[in-house]
Amino acid sequence: MTNYIEYKFKVAEVEPFNEIIIAMISELPFESFVENEEGFDAYMPKTEENIDQVKEVIDAIENIDFSYTRLEIEQQNWNATWEENFAPILVNDQCLIRAEFHETIENIPYEIIIQPKMSFGTGHHSTTHLMVEYILETEFTGKDILDMGCGTSILAILGMKRGANYAECIDIDEWAVENSIENGKRNGVSLDAKMGDNSLLGSKQFDIILANINKNILISQIPSYINVLNEGGDLFLSGLMEQDFEDIFAFCTENGLKFISKKQRNEWIALHFKK
């Protein structure tokens, strides 16, 4: 079981500097950023942490008034940390993402209830928000979908609620896999959750692939996504910053994908390609 490290940032001017700091530390192995009134909290697995590297990157940030503290979160303390930080999210008045202890909102077409334990992907981060927007705009009825780097499997759950036939969810973290299965049951959908990476992809073909990871991992894995994506299938990518666009666009088009559209929220982007 993996313990997590919380870096709690206090930022003098939350807007616009929260997003700027997040952008500058996004190459570090943080799995989630949760913004709040004083700044934001960033989380990474203890096994991925290199304290000297983290300090070097953070110390290189200049001309922004902020401070930070570091705390190791033990597994049994995660639920308390989660409840303290998590607020419900409403995307385009169409999808509510909440915990069981939050009130529901009437007349919202889609509601996802999650309890993330030690896995991340609460919907707060701009990249998840953008991917939810894409799912709400895309036809999922009868489709087989793949959610790579699934975290809490919000994306796969919404895809199933939108009418998908089958959802395979893959993450390198065992907590994410366990939590994905539980969140699927909590939301009345069946998810085929597996621990590992793109090496698990076999002969199964998908109509839609959702991958919200980061630029370097995406570039290393996109060829394997193409191999399992049906002709005419949709590939949605996020975990990307605005400055990543040219590299991802070039790599995908060189590998035969057709660029469809880009979404942006603050400094973050999500991209839609077709095979």
Side-chain angles (χ1 to χ4, degrees), residues 218-250:
L218 288 174
I219 286 178
S220 71
Q221 294 189 0
I222 282 169
S224 62
Y225 302 163
I226 294 172
N227 287 339
V228 298
L229 185 62
N230 285 326
E231 287 297 327
D234 297 284
L235 174 63
F236 296 97
L237 304 174
S238 198
L240 301 166
M241 303 204 63
E242 185 179 7
Q243 61 262 32
D244 298 330
F245 175 72
E246 295 298 334
D247 288 342
I248 292 290
F249 175 86

PDB file of all heavy atoms in Angstrom, residues 218-250:
ATOM      1  N   LEU A 218       2.061  10.164 -22.223  1.00  0.00           N
ATOM      2  CA  LEU A 218       1.185  10.074 -23.392  1.00  0.00           C
ATOM      3  C   LEU A 218       1.992   9.805 -24.660  1.00  0.00           C
ATOM      4  O   LEU A 218       1.642   8.923 -25.458  1.00  0.00           O
ATOM      5  CB  LEU A 218       0.368  11.356 -23.545  1.00  0.00           C
ATOM      6  CG  LEU A 218      -0.751  11.558 -22.523  1.00  0.00           C
ATOM      7  CD1 LEU A 218      -1.389  12.935 -22.703  1.00  0.00           C
ATOM      8  CD2 LEU A 218      -1.810  10.465 -22.623  1.00  0.00           C
ATOM      9  N   ILE A 219       3.069  10.542 -24.855  1.00  0.00           N
ATOM     10  CA  ILE A 219       3.873  10.336 -26.062  1.00  0.00           C
ATOM     11  C   ILE A 219       4.426   8.920 -26.114  1.00  0.00           C
ATOM     12  O   ILE A 219       4.476   8.299 -27.182  1.00  0.00           O
ATOM     13  CB  ILE A 219       4.995  11.390 -26.144  1.00  0.00           C
ATOM     14  CG1 ILE A 219       4.381  12.744 -26.545  1.00  0.00           C
ATOM     15  CG2 ILE A 219       6.070  10.988 -27.130  1.00  0.00           C
ATOM     16  CD1 ILE A 219       5.371  13.890 -26.611  1.00  0.00           C
ATOM     17  N   SER A 220       4.809   8.377 -24.978  1.00  0.00           N
ATOM     18  CA  SER A 220       5.342   7.011 -24.968  1.00  0.00           C
ATOM     19  C   SER A 220       4.258   5.968 -25.207  1.00  0.00           C
ATOM     20  O   SER A 220       4.552   4.871 -25.704  1.00  0.00           O
ATOM     21  CB  SER A 220       6.047   6.731 -23.634  1.00  0.00           C
ATOM     22  OG  SER A 220       5.106   6.629 -22.571  1.00  0.00           O
ATOM     23  N   GLN A 221       2.995   6.308 -24.895  1.00  0.00           N
ATOM     24  CA  GLN A 221       1.934   5.305 -24.968  1.00  0.00           C
ATOM     25  C   GLN A 221       0.986   5.466 -26.153  1.00  0.00           C
ATOM     26  O   GLN A 221       0.267   4.523 -26.498  1.00  0.00           O
ATOM     27  CB  GLN A 221       1.116   5.320 -23.666  1.00  0.00           C
ATOM     28  CG  GLN A 221       1.908   4.884 -22.450  1.00  0.00           C
ATOM     29  CD  GLN A 221       1.052   4.678 -21.210  1.00  0.00           C
ATOM     30  OE1 GLN A 221      -0.157   4.862 -21.233  1.00  0.00           O
ATOM     31  NE2 GLN A 221       1.689   4.270 -20.124  1.00  0.00           N
ATOM     32  N   ILE A 222       0.961   6.625 -26.793  1.00  0.00           N
ATOM     33  CA  ILE A 222       0.007   6.863 -27.883  1.00  0.00           C
ATOM     34  C   ILE A 222       0.076   5.790 -28.978  1.00  0.00           C
ATOM     35  O   ILE A 222      -0.982   5.343 -29.458  1.00  0.00           O
ATOM     36  CB  ILE A 222       0.185   8.285 -28.457  1.00  0.00           C
ATOM     37  CG1 ILE A 222      -0.475   9.301 -27.504  1.00  0.00           C
ATOM     38  CG2 ILE A 222      -0.430   8.415 -29.853  1.00  0.00           C
ATOM     39  CD1 ILE A 222      -0.157  10.752 -27.812  1.00  0.00           C
ATOM     40  N   PRO A 223       1.264   5.329 -29.406  1.00  0.00           N
ATOM     41  CA  PRO A 223       1.274   4.264 -30.428  1.00  0.00           C
ATOM     42  C   PRO A 223       0.498   3.020 -30.009  1.00  0.00           C
ATOM     43  O   PRO A 223      -0.185   2.401 -30.842  1.00  0.00           O
ATOM     44  CB  PRO A 223       2.765   3.972 -30.606  1.00  0.00           C
ATOM     45  CG  PRO A 223       3.439   5.266 -30.278  1.00  0.00           C
ATOM     46  CD  PRO A 223       2.628   5.834 -29.134  1.00  0.00           C
ATOM     47  N   SER A 224       0.552   2.679 -28.720  1.00  0.00           N
ATOM     48  CA  SER A 224      -0.196   1.502 -28.258  1.00  0.00           C
ATOM     49  C   SER A 224      -1.691   1.797 -28.207  1.00  0.00           C
ATOM     50  O   SER A 224      -2.511   0.891 -28.412  1.00  0.00           O
ATOM     51  CB  SER A 224       0.302   1.037 -26.888  1.00  0.00           C
ATOM     52  OG  SER A 224       0.120   2.037 -25.905  1.00  0.00           O
ATOM     53  N   TYR A 225      -2.072   3.041 -27.966  1.00  0.00           N
ATOM     54  CA  TYR A 225      -3.489   3.406 -28.023  1.00  0.00           C
ATOM     55  C   TYR A 225      -4.010   3.254 -29.454  1.00  0.00           C
ATOM     56  O   TYR A 225      -5.105   2.736 -29.668  1.00  0.00           O
ATOM     57  CB  TYR A 225      -3.724   4.853 -27.580  1.00  0.00           C
ATOM     58  CG  TYR A 225      -3.261   5.228 -26.198  1.00  0.00           C
ATOM     59  CD1 TYR A 225      -3.118   6.577 -25.843  1.00  0.00           C
ATOM     60  CD2 TYR A 225      -2.957   4.275 -25.226  1.00  0.00           C
ATOM     61  CE1 TYR A 225      -2.707   6.950 -24.578  1.00  0.00           C
ATOM     62  CE2 TYR A 225      -2.537   4.650 -23.964  1.00  0.00           C
ATOM     63  CZ  TYR A 225      -2.407   5.985 -23.647  1.00  0.00           C
ATOM     64  OH  TYR A 225      -1.989   6.362 -22.399  1.00  0.00           O
ATOM     65  N   ILE A 226      -3.222   3.714 -30.404  1.00  0.00           N
ATOM     66  CA  ILE A 226      -3.633   3.638 -31.814  1.00  0.00           C
ATOM     67  C   ILE A 226      -3.872   2.189 -32.222  1.00  0.00           C
ATOM     68  O   ILE A 226      -4.819   1.875 -32.959  1.00  0.00           O
ATOM     69  CB  ILE A 226      -2.573   4.308 -32.713  1.00  0.00           C
ATOM     70  CG1 ILE A 226      -2.507   5.812 -32.419  1.00  0.00           C
ATOM     71  CG2 ILE A 226      -2.886   4.072 -34.196  1.00  0.00           C
ATOM     72  CD1 ILE A 226      -1.360   6.532 -33.104  1.00  0.00           C
ATOM     73  N   ASN A 227      -3.020   1.288 -31.714  1.00  0.00           N
ATOM     74  CA  ASN A 227      -3.135  -0.135 -32.072  1.00  0.00           C
ATOM     75  C   ASN A 227      -4.465  -0.744 -31.630  1.00  0.00           C
ATOM     76  O   ASN A 227      -4.949  -1.686 -32.263  1.00  0.00           O
ATOM     77  CB  ASN A 227      -1.990  -0.934 -31.455  1.00  0.00           C
ATOM     78  CG  ASN A 227      -0.666  -0.678 -32.137  1.00  0.00           C
ATOM     79  OD1 ASN A 227      -0.621  -0.228 -33.287  1.00  0.00           O
ATOM     80  ND2 ASN A 227       0.422  -0.949 -31.435  1.00  0.00           N
ATOM     81  N   VAL A 228      -5.035  -0.235 -30.543  1.00  0.00           N
ATOM     82  CA  VAL A 228      -6.265  -0.838 -30.010  1.00  0.00           C
ATOM     83  C   VAL A 228      -7.499   0.037 -30.265  1.00  0.00           C
ATOM     84  O   VAL A 228      -8.576  -0.253 -29.747  1.00  0.00           O
ATOM     85  CB  VAL A 228      -6.134  -1.154 -28.502  1.00  0.00           C
ATOM     86  CG1 VAL A 228      -5.026  -2.174 -28.261  1.00  0.00           C
ATOM     87  CG2 VAL A 228      -5.888   0.112 -27.677  1.00  0.00           C
ATOM     88  N   LEU A 229      -7.333   1.107 -31.038  1.00  0.00           N
ATOM     89  CA  LEU A 229      -8.445   2.005 -31.342  1.00  0.00           C
ATOM     90  C   LEU A 229      -9.037   1.630 -32.703  1.00  0.00           C
ATOM     91  O   LEU A 229      -8.326   1.507 -33.694  1.00  0.00           O
ATOM     92  CB  LEU A 229      -7.964   3.460 -31.369  1.00  0.00           C
ATOM     93  CG  LEU A 229      -9.024   4.552 -31.559  1.00  0.00           C
ATOM     94  CD1 LEU A 229     -10.032   4.550 -30.417  1.00  0.00           C
ATOM     95  CD2 LEU A 229      -8.349   5.921 -31.671  1.00  0.00           C
ATOM     96  N   ASN A 230     -10.346   1.427 -32.731  1.00  0.00           N
ATOM     97  CA  ASN A 230     -11.016   1.088 -33.988  1.00  0.00           C
ATOM     98  C   ASN A 230     -10.893   2.223 -34.994  1.00  0.00           C
ATOM     99  O   ASN A 230     -10.771   3.390 -34.626  1.00  0.00           O
ATOM    100  CB  ASN A 230     -12.503   0.800 -33.732  1.00  0.00           C
ATOM    101  CG  ASN A 230     -12.730  -0.549 -33.088  1.00  0.00           C
ATOM    102  OD1 ASN A 230     -12.018  -1.503 -33.357  1.00  0.00           O
ATOM    103  ND2 ASN A 230     -13.730  -0.624 -32.217  1.00  0.00           N
ATOM    104  N   GLU A 231     -10.947   1.868 -36.281  1.00  0.00           N
ATOM    105  CA  GLU A 231     -10.974   2.891 -37.322  1.00  0.00           C
ATOM    106  C   GLU A 231     -12.187   3.802 -37.098  1.00  0.00           C
ATOM    107  O   GLU A 231     -13.292   3.328 -36.852  1.00  0.00           O
ATOM    108  CB  GLU A 231     -11.069   2.240 -38.704  1.00  0.00           C
ATOM    109  CG  GLU A 231      -9.784   1.574 -39.165  1.00  0.00           C
ATOM    110  CD  GLU A 231      -8.634   2.559 -39.343  1.00  0.00           C
ATOM    111  OE1 GLU A 231      -8.911   3.719 -39.728  1.00  0.00           O
ATOM    112  OE2 GLU A 231      -7.475   2.172 -39.096  1.00  0.00           O
ATOM    113  N   GLY A 232     -11.941   5.105 -37.154  1.00  0.00           N
ATOM    114  CA  GLY A 232     -13.008   6.068 -36.876  1.00  0.00           C
ATOM    115  C   GLY A 232     -13.212   6.331 -35.402  1.00  0.00           C
ATOM    116  O   GLY A 232     -14.087   7.123 -35.030  1.00  0.00           O
ATOM    117  N   GLY A 233     -12.408   5.669 -34.563  1.00  0.00           N
ATOM    118  CA  GLY A 233     -12.542   5.830 -33.118  1.00  0.00           C
ATOM    119  C   GLY A 233     -11.998   7.160 -32.632  1.00  0.00           C
ATOM    120  O   GLY A 233     -11.239   7.849 -33.331  1.00  0.00           O
ATOM    121  N   ASP A 234     -12.388   7.509 -31.402  1.00  0.00           N
ATOM    122  CA  ASP A 234     -12.025   8.800 -30.812  1.00  0.00           C
ATOM    123  C   ASP A 234     -10.968   8.625 -29.728  1.00  0.00           C
ATOM    124  O   ASP A 234     -11.099   7.751 -28.862  1.00  0.00           O
ATOM    125  CB  ASP A 234     -13.262   9.457 -30.188  1.00  0.00           C
ATOM    126  CG  ASP A 234     -14.324   9.772 -31.225  1.00  0.00           C
ATOM    127  OD1 ASP A 234     -14.147  10.740 -31.970  1.00  0.00           O
ATOM    128  OD2 ASP A 234     -15.338   9.032 -31.272  1.00  0.00           O
ATOM    129  N   LEU A 235      -9.942   9.483 -29.764  1.00  0.00           N
ATOM    130  CA  LEU A 235      -8.914   9.528 -28.732  1.00  0.00           C
ATOM    131  C   LEU A 235      -8.952  10.900 -28.082  1.00  0.00           C
ATOM    132  O   LEU A 235      -8.780  11.920 -28.754  1.00  0.00           O
ATOM    133  CB  LEU A 235      -7.528   9.264 -29.333  1.00  0.00           C
ATOM    134  CG  LEU A 235      -6.332   9.431 -28.388  1.00  0.00           C
ATOM    135  CD1 LEU A 235      -6.398   8.425 -27.233  1.00  0.00           C
ATOM    136  CD2 LEU A 235      -5.017   9.277 -29.155  1.00  0.00           C
ATOM    137  N   PHE A 236      -9.201  10.925 -26.767  1.00  0.00           N
ATOM    138  CA  PHE A 236      -9.223  12.166 -26.009  1.00  0.00           C
ATOM    139  C   PHE A 236      -8.026  12.172 -25.059  1.00  0.00           C
ATOM    140  O   PHE A 236      -7.831  11.234 -24.286  1.00  0.00           O
ATOM    141  CB  PHE A 236     -10.522  12.293 -25.213  1.00  0.00           C
ATOM    142  CG  PHE A 236     -11.751  12.398 -26.071  1.00  0.00           C
ATOM    143  CD1 PHE A 236     -12.526  11.276 -26.345  1.00  0.00           C
ATOM    144  CD2 PHE A 236     -12.131  13.613 -26.619  1.00  0.00           C
ATOM    145  CE1 PHE A 236     -13.656  11.362 -27.141  1.00  0.00           C
ATOM    146  CE2 PHE A 236     -13.262  13.720 -27.419  1.00  0.00           C
ATOM    147  CZ  PHE A 236     -14.028  12.594 -27.685  1.00  0.00           C
ATOM    148  N   LEU A 237      -7.237  13.238 -25.120  1.00  0.00           N
ATOM    149  CA  LEU A 237      -6.013  13.333 -24.331  1.00  0.00           C
ATOM    150  C   LEU A 237      -6.060  14.563 -23.444  1.00  0.00           C
ATOM    151  O   LEU A 237      -6.485  15.635 -23.874  1.00  0.00           O
ATOM    152  CB  LEU A 237      -4.789  13.449 -25.242  1.00  0.00           C
ATOM    153  CG  LEU A 237      -4.581  12.361 -26.290  1.00  0.00           C
ATOM    154  CD1 LEU A 237      -3.408  12.730 -27.193  1.00  0.00           C
ATOM    155  CD2 LEU A 237      -4.350  11.009 -25.624  1.00  0.00           C
ATOM    156  N   SER A 238      -5.580  14.424 -22.202  1.00  0.00           N
ATOM    157  CA  SER A 238      -5.410  15.591 -21.345  1.00  0.00           C
ATOM    158  C   SER A 238      -4.275  15.317 -20.367  1.00  0.00           C
ATOM    159  O   SER A 238      -3.494  14.399 -20.556  1.00  0.00           O
ATOM    160  CB  SER A 238      -6.715  15.961 -20.642  1.00  0.00           C
ATOM    161  OG  SER A 238      -6.636  17.281 -20.161  1.00  0.00           O
ATOM    162  N   GLY A 239      -4.201  16.144 -19.303  1.00  0.00           N
ATOM    163  CA  GLY A 239      -3.008  16.143 -18.468  1.00  0.00           C
ATOM    164  C   GLY A 239      -1.934  16.998 -19.124  1.00  0.00           C
ATOM    165  O   GLY A 239      -0.754  16.892 -18.806  1.00  0.00           O
ATOM    166  N   LEU A 240      -2.372  17.862 -20.042  1.00  0.00           N
ATOM    167  CA  LEU A 240      -1.465  18.641 -20.884  1.00  0.00           C
ATOM    168  C   LEU A 240      -1.593  20.130 -20.610  1.00  0.00           C
ATOM    169  O   LEU A 240      -2.665  20.620 -20.291  1.00  0.00           O
ATOM    170  CB  LEU A 240      -1.784  18.385 -22.361  1.00  0.00           C
ATOM    171  CG  LEU A 240      -1.685  16.930 -22.832  1.00  0.00           C
ATOM    172  CD1 LEU A 240      -2.352  16.768 -24.186  1.00  0.00           C
ATOM    173  CD2 LEU A 240      -0.223  16.505 -22.879  1.00  0.00           C
ATOM    174  N   MET A 241      -0.482  20.818 -20.810  1.00  0.00           N
ATOM    175  CA  MET A 241      -0.485  22.267 -20.689  1.00  0.00           C
ATOM    176  C   MET A 241      -0.484  22.903 -22.070  1.00  0.00           C
ATOM    177  O   MET A 241      -0.192  22.247 -23.071  1.00  0.00           O
ATOM    178  CB  MET A 241       0.733  22.702 -19.887  1.00  0.00           C
ATOM    179  CG  MET A 241       0.769  22.054 -18.521  1.00  0.00           C
ATOM    180  SD  MET A 241       1.716  23.009 -17.376  1.00  0.00           S
ATOM    181  CE  MET A 241       0.752  24.496 -17.334  1.00  0.00           C
ATOM    182  N   GLU A 242      -0.812  24.189 -22.108  1.00  0.00           N
ATOM    183  CA  GLU A 242      -0.916  24.898 -23.383  1.00  0.00           C
ATOM    184  C   GLU A 242       0.360  24.747 -24.210  1.00  0.00           C
ATOM    185  O   GLU A 242       0.306  24.541 -25.421  1.00  0.00           O
ATOM    186  CB  GLU A 242      -1.209  26.374 -23.111  1.00  0.00           C
ATOM    187  CG  GLU A 242      -1.468  27.199 -24.355  1.00  0.00           C
ATOM    188  CD  GLU A 242      -1.784  28.641 -24.026  1.00  0.00           C
ATOM    189  OE1 GLU A 242      -1.674  29.031 -22.846  1.00  0.00           O
ATOM    190  OE2 GLU A 242      -2.144  29.376 -24.958  1.00  0.00           O
ATOM    191  N   GLN A 243       1.523  24.797 -23.538  1.00  0.00           N
ATOM    192  CA  GLN A 243       2.784  24.723 -24.277  1.00  0.00           C
ATOM    193  C   GLN A 243       3.087  23.314 -24.802  1.00  0.00           C
ATOM    194  O   GLN A 243       4.006  23.134 -25.587  1.00  0.00           O
ATOM    195  CB  GLN A 243       3.954  25.220 -23.427  1.00  0.00           C
ATOM    196  CG  GLN A 243       4.205  24.426 -22.160  1.00  0.00           C
ATOM    197  CD  GLN A 243       3.588  25.091 -20.947  1.00  0.00           C
ATOM    198  OE1 GLN A 243       2.550  25.738 -21.054  1.00  0.00           O
ATOM    199  NE2 GLN A 243       4.232  24.939 -19.798  1.00  0.00           N
ATOM    200  N   ASP A 244       2.304  22.318 -24.379  1.00  0.00           N
ATOM    201  CA  ASP A 244       2.496  20.952 -24.871  1.00  0.00           C
ATOM    202  C   ASP A 244       1.813  20.724 -26.219  1.00  0.00           C
ATOM    203  O   ASP A 244       2.050  19.695 -26.864  1.00  0.00           O
ATOM    204  CB  ASP A 244       1.923  19.928 -23.873  1.00  0.00           C
ATOM    205  CG  ASP A 244       2.617  19.966 -22.529  1.00  0.00           C
ATOM    206  OD1 ASP A 244       3.821  20.299 -22.492  1.00  0.00           O
ATOM    207  OD2 ASP A 244       1.961  19.668 -21.519  1.00  0.00           O
ATOM    208  N   PHE A 245       0.965  21.647 -26.632  1.00  0.00           N
ATOM    209  CA  PHE A 245       0.103  21.402 -27.787  1.00  0.00           C
ATOM    210  C   PHE A 245       0.878  21.043 -29.046  1.00  0.00           C
ATOM    211  O   PHE A 245       0.569  20.050 -29.713  1.00  0.00           O
ATOM    212  CB  PHE A 245      -0.794  22.614 -28.067  1.00  0.00           C
ATOM    213  CG  PHE A 245      -1.610  22.466 -29.322  1.00  0.00           C
ATOM    214  CD1 PHE A 245      -2.688  21.588 -29.370  1.00  0.00           C
ATOM    215  CD2 PHE A 245      -1.281  23.174 -30.470  1.00  0.00           C
ATOM    216  CE1 PHE A 245      -3.430  21.431 -30.536  1.00  0.00           C
ATOM    217  CE2 PHE A 245      -2.019  23.025 -31.641  1.00  0.00           C
ATOM    218  CZ  PHE A 245      -3.092  22.151 -31.669  1.00  0.00           C
ATOM    219  N   GLU A 246       1.876  21.834 -29.409  1.00  0.00           N
ATOM    220  CA  GLU A 246       2.581  21.600 -30.673  1.00  0.00           C
ATOM    221  C   GLU A 246       3.230  20.229 -30.713  1.00  0.00           C
ATOM    222  O   GLU A 246       3.168  19.522 -31.735  1.00  0.00           O
ATOM    223  CB  GLU A 246       3.625  22.701 -30.912  1.00  0.00           C
ATOM    224  CG  GLU A 246       3.038  24.087 -31.120  1.00  0.00           C
ATOM    225  CD  GLU A 246       2.149  24.179 -32.356  1.00  0.00           C
ATOM    226  OE1 GLU A 246       2.346  23.388 -33.292  1.00  0.00           O
ATOM    227  OE2 GLU A 246       1.248  25.037 -32.367  1.00  0.00           O
ATOM    228  N   ASP A 247       3.860  19.818 -29.617  1.00  0.00           N
ATOM    229  CA  ASP A 247       4.527  18.505 -29.583  1.00  0.00           C
ATOM    230  C   ASP A 247       3.527  17.373 -29.703  1.00  0.00           C
ATOM    231  O   ASP A 247       3.744  16.409 -30.452  1.00  0.00           O
ATOM    232  CB  ASP A 247       5.335  18.352 -28.289  1.00  0.00           C
ATOM    233  CG  ASP A 247       6.581  19.222 -28.274  1.00  0.00           C
ATOM    234  OD1 ASP A 247       7.003  19.673 -29.362  1.00  0.00           O
ATOM    235  OD2 ASP A 247       7.130  19.448 -27.179  1.00  0.00           O
ATOM    236  N   ILE A 248       2.424  17.452 -28.959  1.00  0.00           N
ATOM    237  CA  ILE A 248       1.417  16.387 -29.015  1.00  0.00           C
ATOM    238  C   ILE A 248       0.737  16.369 -30.373  1.00  0.00           C
ATOM    239  O   ILE A 248       0.518  15.304 -30.972  1.00  0.00           O
ATOM    240  CB  ILE A 248       0.373  16.567 -27.887  1.00  0.00           C
ATOM    241  CG1 ILE A 248       1.019  16.320 -26.513  1.00  0.00           C
ATOM    242  CG2 ILE A 248      -0.805  15.617 -28.083  1.00  0.00           C
ATOM    243  CD1 ILE A 248       1.389  14.881 -26.225  1.00  0.00           C
ATOM    244  N   PHE A 249       0.404  17.546 -30.895  1.00  0.00           N
ATOM    245  CA  PHE A 249      -0.226  17.635 -32.217  1.00  0.00           C
ATOM    246  C   PHE A 249       0.664  16.998 -33.276  1.00  0.00           C
ATOM    247  O   PHE A 249       0.206  16.182 -34.090  1.00  0.00           O
ATOM    248  CB  PHE A 249      -0.497  19.104 -32.567  1.00  0.00           C
ATOM    249  CG  PHE A 249      -1.036  19.305 -33.959  1.00  0.00           C
ATOM    250  CD1 PHE A 249      -2.398  19.212 -34.205  1.00  0.00           C
ATOM    251  CD2 PHE A 249      -0.179  19.582 -35.022  1.00  0.00           C
ATOM    252  CE1 PHE A 249      -2.903  19.386 -35.491  1.00  0.00           C
ATOM    253  CE2 PHE A 249      -0.670  19.764 -36.298  1.00  0.00           C
ATOM    254  CZ  PHE A 249      -2.037  19.662 -36.538  1.00  0.00           C
ATOM    255  N   ALA A 250       1.944  17.356 -33.271  1.00  0.00           N
ATOM    256  CA  ALA A 250       2.868  16.820 -34.271  1.00  0.00           C
ATOM    257  C   ALA A 250       2.995  15.308 -34.140  1.00  0.00           C
ATOM    258  O   ALA A 250       2.957  14.575 -35.142  1.00  0.00           O
ATOM    259  CB  ALA A 250       4.236  17.485 -34.130  1.00  0.00           C
TER     260      ALA A 250
END
